[in-house]
Amino acid sequence: MPRDSLPAKREWVLKRNCSLTPRQTLRAYLLLLALSLTVGTTFALHGAPLVLCFTALEMGAVTAAWLYYSRHALDHERIVLLPDALVIESVCGARRASVRLDPERTRVLLPAFPSELVTLEARGQSVHIGATLPAWRRAGFARELDAALHGVLPGWG
């Protein structure tokens, strides 16, 4: 199918699959802290104050993990294929980046290993995408994007 007769815009949004809402995550975090503090305090009251010290260390580690998770829960990549541009927008924590490539000259390089990212190259510019995709889905996504760039819709003989 020629490129001129394809839809004017194709879009992919690649993001993590978060099974808990932010409110549910906060509730689970607070419940865990309350439970740990209860156990630590109970042992401290029964003559084992060191348990409370280790509880404080555990709560610090859980808090650090929760802050990291919260910062990256909304990480995503948005790839938009327009007739005149391939736009890649990525959000990782507080960092946002946007790149425009020429769709006519963009090559999609499949990952050599499942742990590698998909690479897009155009006019000496290289962009790595697929960080939020599971490793087993990257090659399939790369083939789908390559087919869209070359004007062939998957499943359309």
Side-chain angles (χ1 to χ4, degrees):
M1 180 173 252
R3 178 182 279 280
D4 297 339
S5 61
L6 289 176
K9 175 181 171 182
R10 295 268 324 256
E11 183 174 348
W12 297 265
V13 178
L14 312 176
K15 60 183 180 177
R16 288 185 168 82
N17 184 13
C18 298
S19 57
L20 296 177
T21 66
R23 178 173 282 149
Q24 290 171 330
T25 304
L26 179 61
R27 285 182 183 166
Y29 165 74
L30 293 175
L31 179 66
L32 180 63
L33 290 185
L35 183 63
S36 293
L37 189 59
T38 301
V39 170
T41 303
T42 301
F43 274 92
L45 291 174
H46 285 85
L50 275 178
V51 173
L52 194 55
C53 294
F54 283 105
T55 299
L57 285 173
E58 174 206 5
M59 289 174 19
V62 168
T63 299
W66 184 76
L67 288 172
Y68 179 83
Y69 172 81
S70 297
R71 182 176 179 98
H72 293 284
L74 298 178
D75 288 0
H76 67 277
E77 294 168 311
R78 184 171 167 250
I79 297 103
V80 181
L81 176 59
L82 302 167
D84 62 337
L86 178 65
V87 181
I88 299 104
E89 299 171 350
S90 64
V91 174
C92 182
R95 187 180 60 84
R96 294 178 172 271
S98 182
V99 176
R100 289 179 75 91
L101 300 174
D102 179 5
E104 297 289 331
R105 299 187 184 260
T106 300
R107 290 185 336 149
V108 179
L109 303 175
L110 293 170
F113 300 100
S115 60
E116 291 181 353
L117 299 178
V118 176
T119 304
L120 303 178
E121 288 182 350
R123 297 186 181 193
Q125 193 172 17
S126 180
V127 180
H128 300 285
I129 60 173
T132 57
L133 279 178
W136 60 271
R137 290 205 49 216
R138 290 182 187 147
F141 169 72
R143 284 190 285 278
E144 180 181 341
L145 181 58
D146 191 48
L149 283 169
H150 291 94
V152 179
L153 292 176
W156 291 44

